[in-house]
Amino acid sequence: MTSAIETQNLTKRFGDRLAVDHASLHIPTGAVSGFIGPNGAGKTTTMRMLLGLVRPTDGTGTVLGEPLSKPERYMNRIGAMIEGPTFYGPLSGRANLVALARLSRLPLQRVDEGLERVGLTDRGGDPFRAYSHGMKQRLGIAAALLPRPELLVLDEPTNGLDPAGIGEVRTLLRSLRDDGITVFVSSHLLGELEQICDHVVMIQSGRLMYQGTVEQLVAAQHTEVWARPEAPADAARLLAALTASGRTARLDGPWVCVVADEDCAADLYRLAVREGITLVHLSTRRQSLEQAFLAMTGTVSGDIAQGVPSGVGSAVSSGVGGNGGGR
Amino acid sequence: MIPAFRSEWIKLRRPSLLLSTYGAIAGISILITILSFALAGHHFGRGGGGGGGGGGRTPITLAQLAESNALAKAFAGFAGLLGIIALAVAGAQTASEYSVGTLRNLLIRQPRRLVLLAGKFIAVLSFSAFAVLLACIVGVVTAFVMAHIRGISTTAWTSSTGLADSGKAFGEVVLAVCGYTTIGMIIGSLLRTPGAAIAVGLVYILPFELILTATVNGSDKWLPGQLLGAIASGGTTDVSLHTAVIRALAYLVVLGGGAAALFARRDVTA
């Protein structure tokens, strides 16, 4: 698959602080790629370097086939919203978009198209400062869509949106992907990213931890098999039997959890029958993107949140290998 | 550069900025003109009816107001205030692009930074030049009305000499105000905070330069604000118009070039 973005050892240092540490990115063309990491991980700085706003301390790369050091060669094919929507407060949403369209010689019909695409046609004449947070976010996305971009770079586009707004952004990103636009999007809402992303890049403390498909990442994680005996007292007996059979298992109240592959469910069921234990619940759980992220980083961050409740929480094993990036 | 110029004017022509700036300039122009004519010929001083040595002064006489260069002189006297307003507006507009974060939007759509800067610079200069034109038109109209009220002849104003004097004064004031505007943009670009840009600009131009001029002999020939004042007055006894233009231009080219180079290279993290 060709790369919309390709970097080699991209590095940014602000004084003594290393914001991005030798990041070698590969963002495939035509896919929605998620950029995951806690606050301060280096996501926004990386995106700023890709957009020519911040000069890399070291490293090289290409964006849409053009060198990173020449943003004027590719920025007319890129739409972006970085660190939230910022516009002139007293100007209307429409006037703000017209100012940006004029700046890059875009036809003014693009402004109306953009407003329509994000559902702001009726409020386009209102001052930006009168917009709700969700409307501001949508105007930011409309501004990013002005050049009919080949590559869309969005930094936290769902920040502060209500569930309906998040759903709208999800639908929009899917439709953009269907139109052949490459999307590179960062978000804290890993559950949301999991639903829309084909590809994911994980970053922590400036270092890439993983990049590849979401499926590869989740598949590389262990599956958990959860069982609940009818009699709570049988949970300890089942745990002992599992441990004796060489399985890694643990108790969680009346539940027994085995970290293994999906085939383990059948073994566990047979073991329970052999021990005379009646099970009232037996299920397998694939790990979510959030769990995979935590497994990769080995830390729990309050900055990272799931967009969709994950149900029963569980510890995950660490040491899943990525297919590049980390040093 | 023209797209950047047109884009900047969408921001500059917003009613809140346009009405407040141009409204204030028109209002001040009317007020100063009315006061000049209303107070002309009146004797002010502590000496009461004493014939001499009472410390009294006459700001301007009715006869002086009837001279061909009266409008030019009045306009030149107003240039300092126009310059201060232009400096504050330019500084605030430039710095707010950083502080609000709108600069990153602009650079995403126009990554050639110097092209963006040049377009913005010319737009803000034209905004200031229009302000001078407005002040001139409003002041002249008010002057004719006040001359009629006070019975002052305006024949000399409309003579060829009078028109030439007024035209020259207008050009000199535009030049000086563009200089103040450039200083405002330089300070705004360096400080990146509107409040700080306005404060530093005003403190430098007003108390700092005035104190320096009063305490260091000959410094008015070299300080940028004083040189711009000299340009607005068509030159002074200490520094000719030609010298003032050359020296002010040298300052603005060096400082402006430095600020532009910084703008082109600096990381945009806001």
Side-chain angles (χ1 to χ4, degrees):
Chain A
M1 190 177 274
T2 58
S3 297
I5 300 170
E6 190 86 49
T7 69
Q8 291 85 39
N9 295 317
L10 198 61
T11 302
K12 182 63 189 180
R13 184 181 287 279
F14 293 107
D16 293 336
R17 189 172 66 83
L18 193 58
V20 178
D21 186 4
H22 294 83
S24 295
L25 278 172
H26 161 73
I27 303 299
T29 302
V32 177
S33 294
F35 200 16
I36 302 169
N39 278 342
K43 301 189 299 293
T44 302
T45 303
T46 302
M47 287 180 156
R48 282 179 187 275
M49 284 194 280
L50 297 174
L51 298 171
L53 298 174
V54 165
R55 197 178 291 269
T57 307
D58 198 8
T60 58
T62 58
V63 177
L64 298 176
E66 300 289 349
L68 199 59
S69 56
K70 303 279 183 195
E72 64 275 11
R73 291 193 191 167
Y74 58 80
M75 284 305 295
N76 61 340
R77 295 149 66 197
I78 291 185
M81 181 176 75
I82 295 294
E83 248 184 342
T86 50
F87 294 96
Y88 305 116
L91 290 185
S92 69
R94 191 176 191 286
N96 271 292
L97 294 191
V98 168
L100 293 175
R102 284 253 164 89
L103 193 54
S104 43
R105 294 178 186 269
L106 296 171
L108 294 186
Q109 76 184 62
R110 300 277 183 89
V111 170
D112 296 321
E113 285 174 11
L115 289 171
E116 190 179 348
R117 186 142 200 184
V118 299
L120 281 178
T121 301
D122 293 340
R123 300 292 302 274
D126 293 356
F128 175 72
R129 65 179 167 217
Y131 281 12
S132 67
H133 187 79
M135 289 165 69
K136 289 177 178 175
Q137 288 285 110
R138 283 189 278 160
L139 189 71
I141 294 172
L145 293 174
L146 277 178
R148 290 183 184 161
E150 291 172 42
L151 169 64
L152 192 61
V153 178
L154 299 174
D155 188 16
E156 305 282 355
T158 55
N159 223 2
L161 293 184
D162 58 20
I166 292 171
E168 286 172 14
V169 171
R170 190 197 310 149
T171 305
L172 177 67
L173 295 185
R174 280 187 180 137
S175 73
L176 292 171
R177 177 185 51 193
D178 294 343
D179 291 345
I181 297 172
T182 305
V183 181
F184 186 38
V185 55
S186 74
S187 179
H188 290 150
L189 301 178
L190 303 192
E192 280 303 320
L193 285 184
E194 192 170 7
Q195 290 186 58
I196 56 172
C197 289
D198 315 293
H199 182 268
V200 68
V201 178
M202 289 183 176
I203 187 170
Q204 189 184 38
S205 303
R207 288 186 173 188
L208 290 195
M209 307 298 290
Y210 172 84
Q211 61 182 326
T213 65
V214 176
E215 283 179 0
Q216 281 175 332
L217 174 65
V218 174
Q221 307 295 310
H222 290 295
T223 303
E224 291 177 340
V225 180
W226 288 80
R228 185 159 70 87
E230 184 178 37
D234 286 343
R237 206 151 60 83
L238 182 59
L239 176 68
L242 283 163
T243 306
S245 68
R247 296 281 186 187
T248 303
R250 69 175 193 277
L251 273 182
D252 191 344
W255 294 86
V256 176
C257 173
V258 184
V259 179
D261 54 35
E262 289 186 15
D263 295 343
C264 172
D267 292 343
L268 194 152
Y269 176 75
R270 279 190 287 271
L271 187 67
V273 169
R274 206 163 50 235
E275 294 291 325
I277 297 170
T278 306
L279 297 178
V280 292
H281 185 104
L282 181 64
S283 65
T284 57
R285 252 182 248 284
R286 287 185 71 187
Q287 292 188 320
S288 66
L289 189 57
E290 181 194 29
Q291 288 166 322
F293 176 80
L294 296 177
M296 293 291 303
T297 60
T299 58
V300 177
S301 169
D303 296 330
I304 297 295
Q306 273 201 308
V308 180
S310 61
V312 179
S314 65
V316 289
S317 59
S318 61
V320 177
N323 62 352
R327 285 199 316 149
Chain B
M1 194 167 70
I2 290 171
F5 171 84
R6 294 177 70 200
S7 171
E8 181 70 11
W9 257 105
I10 292 174
K11 182 184 74 165
L12 292 174
R13 72 174 185 230
R14 66 185 187 269
S16 55
L17 179 67
L18 208 63
L19 292 178
S20 62
T21 308
Y22 285 5
I25 284 170
I28 291 169
S29 181
I30 290 169
L31 189 67
I32 288 178
T33 310
I34 288 174
L35 284 175
S36 299
F37 279 84
L39 301 176
H42 289 281
H43 188 81
F44 298 93
R46 294 184 296 264
R57 60 189 176 88
T58 304
I60 195 162
T61 64
L62 292 174
Q64 285 174 320
L65 281 178
E67 290 172 2
S68 64
N69 64 354
L71 290 178
K73 277 185 177 174
F75 201 48
F78 185 37
L81 191 55
L82 281 175
I84 295 296
I85 294 172
L87 182 148
V89 170
Q93 291 302 308
T94 307
S96 67
E97 298 281 19
Y98 285 97
S99 62
V100 177
T102 43
L103 182 61
R104 63 174 180 263
N105 280 353
L106 301 177
L107 289 174
I108 284 169
R109 292 277 51 89
Q110 177 48 276
R112 291 180 174 87
R113 293 189 180 194
L114 290 180
V115 171
L116 176 70
L117 185 65
K120 289 173 81 69
F121 178 57
I122 292 171
V124 177
L125 281 189
S126 63
F127 182 87
S128 295
F130 278 127
V132 176
L133 181 65
L134 178 71
C136 177
I137 291 170
V138 169
V140 167
V141 170
T142 310
F144 272 96
V145 172
M146 288 304 294
H148 177 73
I149 291 170
R150 295 222 59 191
I152 298 168
S153 169
T154 59
T155 309
W157 296 359
T158 52
S159 67
S160 57
T161 310
L163 291 175
D165 285 344
S166 299
K168 182 170 174 287
F170 175 74
E172 289 160 355
V173 172
V174 167
L175 216 55
V177 169
C178 285
Y180 283 108
T181 304
T182 309
I183 292 175
M185 283 193 76
I186 291 169
I187 295 173
S189 177
L190 294 176
L191 298 183
R192 295 181 283 181
T193 311
I198 293 172
V200 168
L202 296 189
V203 165
Y204 174 76
I205 292 292
L206 292 174
F208 184 77
E209 275 208 4
L210 291 179
I211 291 168
L212 216 56
T213 306
T215 53
V216 181
N217 202 22
S219 59
D220 57 330
K221 296 178 203 167
W222 295 99
L223 295 171
Q226 299 304 308
L227 290 170
L228 293 175
I231 291 171
S233 305
T236 63
T237 49
D238 292 330
V239 57
S240 69
L241 175 64
H242 180 258
T243 306
V245 169
I246 297 288
R247 287 179 186 172
L249 205 59
Y251 274 119
L252 297 181
V253 167
V254 170
L255 295 175
L262 195 63
F263 179 82
R265 292 194 60 82
R266 188 154 58 184
D267 288 341
V268 178
T269 53

